């Protein structure tokens, strides 16, 4: 396989809704026709298990599956451990990352791409973790960075974003207000919009979560992959990895994808229950401990619903009481995880998988937000 060595060799992007194609070096951050998110025209073949020994101990060991070669800005992201929680359920400790969340997997790809394209500035929008990750990797790459965040973002996350030298623009309103402010600035000349929702490079970073699981489990995957879903970047990344491994004959069956949402803000679960292919009606924003997945209108809703349906999985919702209880339970097991990151354990700890093997991600460290209800 030939890897990209310059911008002319980067894969093109395309709109999954209407097929519109966007050149690799275009500054467009969304489909010019419908303004929807883009996918990457990239179908790699993973290396077999016996070819991975001795490679770099980061997500860049899966080089065949990444649309960019290993950059000089890596912070050693990836290769997080898997530990047993209870019975047939294990957890992947993705809070053990350079910025203490799984978003590093995608952020390093966005920063590496921006470094190649050479913008004057990088902007991002986030409820905290994605913005922190983008800020850190932009600092590593020497890129000017501004992060738009909604009012009410955890002070600890704001401190972490600023510590990396990024400007923090606090937007009055909710998560969607912050995204709207970023999109308004995204078309300014010389701007690279490091959108973890619209830019497909982010998904090709998050998919390494599953490639690591496959390697660490000896060339297999559990029967169920359970992931928290707001904008769906981890779930859609997981779908990409499963597809790649299956197409290469490296797994015999595809695991079911289970998507977990907070019952307080669950637009996708509502659409799922209605049997719909897209969002149904309006979902009002509501307070929830799981702030990182409280997304009333995820732009990739149709893709998320289709991915879960095609995998044979389902949507699960958790209450605020379940989230707080699950966080306390994990703390008692020695794992201090932020409230959003415990949602999956809250969903499956009482048998939702009916005895099947499953893995949940613990996505962010507890020091970012503290204890639910605390």
């Amino acid at each position: 396989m030939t890897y990209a060595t310059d911008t002319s060799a980067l894969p093109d992007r395309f709109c999954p809704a209407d097929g519109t194609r966007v050149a690799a070096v275009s500054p467009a951050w969304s489909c010019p026709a419908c303004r929807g998110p883009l996918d990457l025209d990239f179908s790699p073949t993973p290396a077999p298990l016996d070819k991975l020994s001795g490679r770099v101990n980061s997500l860049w060991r899966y080089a065949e599956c990444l649309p960019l070669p290993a950059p000089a800005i890596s912070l050693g992201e990836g290769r997080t451990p898997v530990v047993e929680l209870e019975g047939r359920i294990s957890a992947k400790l993705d809070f053990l990352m350079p910025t203490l969340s799984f978003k590093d997997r995608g952020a390093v790809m966005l920063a590496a791409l921006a470094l190649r394209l050479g913008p004057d500035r990088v902007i991002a929008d986030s409820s905290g973790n994605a913005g922190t990750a983008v800020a850190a990797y932009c600092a590593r790459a020497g890129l000017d960075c501004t992060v738009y965040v909604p009012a009410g973002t955890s002070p600890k996350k704001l401190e972490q974003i600023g510590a990396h030298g990024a400007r923090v623009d606090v937007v009055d309103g909710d998560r969607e207000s912050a995204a709207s402010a970023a999109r308004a600035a995204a078309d300014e000349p010389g701007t690279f919009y490091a959108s973890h929702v619209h830019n497909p490079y982010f998904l090709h970073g998050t998919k390494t979560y599953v490639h690591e699981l496959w390697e660490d489990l000896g060339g297999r995957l559990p029967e169920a992959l359970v992931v928290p879903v707001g904008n769906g970047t981890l779930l859609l990344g997981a779908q990409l990895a499963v597809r790649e491994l299956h197409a290469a004959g490296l797994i015999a069956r595809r695991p079911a994808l289970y998507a977990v949402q907070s019952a307080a803000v669950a637009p996708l679960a509502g659409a799922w229950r209605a049997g719909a292919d897209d969002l149904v009606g309006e979902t009002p924003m509501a307070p929830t401990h799981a702030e990182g997945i409280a997304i009333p209108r995820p732009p990739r809703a149709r893709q998320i619903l289709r991915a879960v349906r095609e995998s044979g999985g389902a949507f699960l919702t958790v209450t605020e009481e379940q989230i707080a209880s699950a966080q306390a339970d994990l703390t008692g097991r020695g794992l201090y995880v932020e409230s959003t990151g415990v949602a999956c354990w809250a969903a499956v700890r009482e048998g939702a998988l009916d005895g099947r093997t499953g893995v949940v991600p613990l996505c962010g460290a507890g020091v970012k937000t503290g204890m639910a209800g605390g």
Side-chain angles (χ1 to χ4, degrees):
M1 180 176 178
T2 301
Y3 303 112
T5 56
D6 56 48
T7 54
S8 66
L10 296 175
D12 286 343
R13 293 163 290 161
F14 69 94
C15 176
D18 60 30
T20 300
R21 297 189 69 82
V22 178
V25 296
S26 167
W29 55 268
S30 63
C31 173
C34 71
R35 300 300 277 179
L38 299 169
D39 284 349
L40 206 59
D41 188 4
F42 181 62
S43 300
T45 300
L49 203 60
D50 60 2
K51 299 297 184 183
L52 298 176
S53 178
R55 292 191 178 188
V56 62
N57 192 37
S58 73
L59 63 79
W60 297 98
R61 69 196 282 111
Y62 311 107
E64 292 85 352
C65 292
L66 299 175
L68 291 167
I73 63 170
S74 174
L75 293 169
E77 55 284 336
R79 300 300 295 144
T80 56
V82 179
V83 300
E84 181 182 328
L85 284 180
E86 191 172 279
R88 295 164 67 81
I89 307 298
S90 297
K92 187 161 173 59
L93 310 189
D94 251 29
F95 65 91
L96 298 178
M97 286 277 200
T99 76
L100 307 181
S101 91
F102 87 95
K103 297 289 177 63
D104 290 0
R105 295 185 183 277
V108 68
M109 300 298 293
L110 295 182
L113 177 61
L115 193 61
R116 285 188 160 223
L117 298 178
D120 297 325
R121 69 195 64 82
V122 174
I123 65 169
D125 59 274
S126 171
S127 60
N129 285 339
T132 298
V134 170
Y137 283 95
C138 282
R140 185 72 166 178
L143 294 166
D144 182 89
C145 181
T146 298
V147 181
Y148 294 82
V149 300
T153 298
S154 164
K156 296 177 182 179
K157 292 180 179 179
L158 296 179
E159 179 183 353
Q160 191 179 9
I161 293 171
H164 292 303
R167 286 179 294 279
V168 180
D169 193 324
V170 179
V171 179
D172 288 338
D174 58 15
R175 178 67 182 82
E176 179 54 32
S177 299
S180 296
R183 291 194 294 266
D187 293 326
E188 294 178 7
T191 300
F192 177 88
Y193 182 22
S195 172
H196 60 289
V197 181
H198 286 81
N199 194 310
Y201 278 81
F202 195 91
L203 305 182
H204 284 269
T206 62
K207 73 181 181 183
T208 58
Y209 170 90
V210 170
H211 283 287
E212 290 177 17
L213 271 180
W214 169 78
E215 181 183 2
D216 290 342
L217 295 178
R220 62 182 180 83
L221 290 173
E223 295 169 286
L225 293 170
V226 187
V227 294
V229 171
N231 279 310
T233 55
L234 183 54
L235 183 138
L236 293 173
Q239 181 195 38
L240 283 172
V242 168
R243 184 184 299 156
E244 291 166 3
L245 291 166
H246 189 263
L250 297 174
I251 54 173
R253 54 162 184 79
R254 304 186 190 202
L257 299 175
Y258 282 80
V260 179
Q261 295 208 285
S262 163
V265 185
L268 292 160
W272 173 265
R273 288 191 294 267
D277 294 330
D278 205 344
L279 300 179
V280 178
E282 295 294 328
T283 298
M285 193 64 180
T288 175
H289 297 315
E291 61 182 11
I293 54 173
I295 308 295
R297 294 198 63 80
R300 293 187 184 268
R302 292 183 67 89
Q303 289 178 278
I304 297 166
L305 288 161
R306 184 169 61 249
V308 172
R309 188 170 287 116
E310 291 177 352
S311 76
F315 280 81
L316 305 171
T317 58
V318 290
T319 65
E320 300 306 291
E321 293 76 14
Q322 287 175 307
I323 292 171
S325 176
Q327 189 179 34
D329 178 73
L330 286 173
T331 303
R333 298 170 186 262
L335 298 166
Y336 187 31
V337 183
E338 69 173 332
S339 303
T340 298
V342 308
C344 292
W345 178 232
V348 305
R349 61 190 288 228
E350 297 179 2
L353 296 184
D354 298 322
R356 282 172 288 184
T357 58
V359 174
V360 300
L362 302 184
C363 297
V367 296
K368 287 173 172 282
T369 57
M371 293 291 287

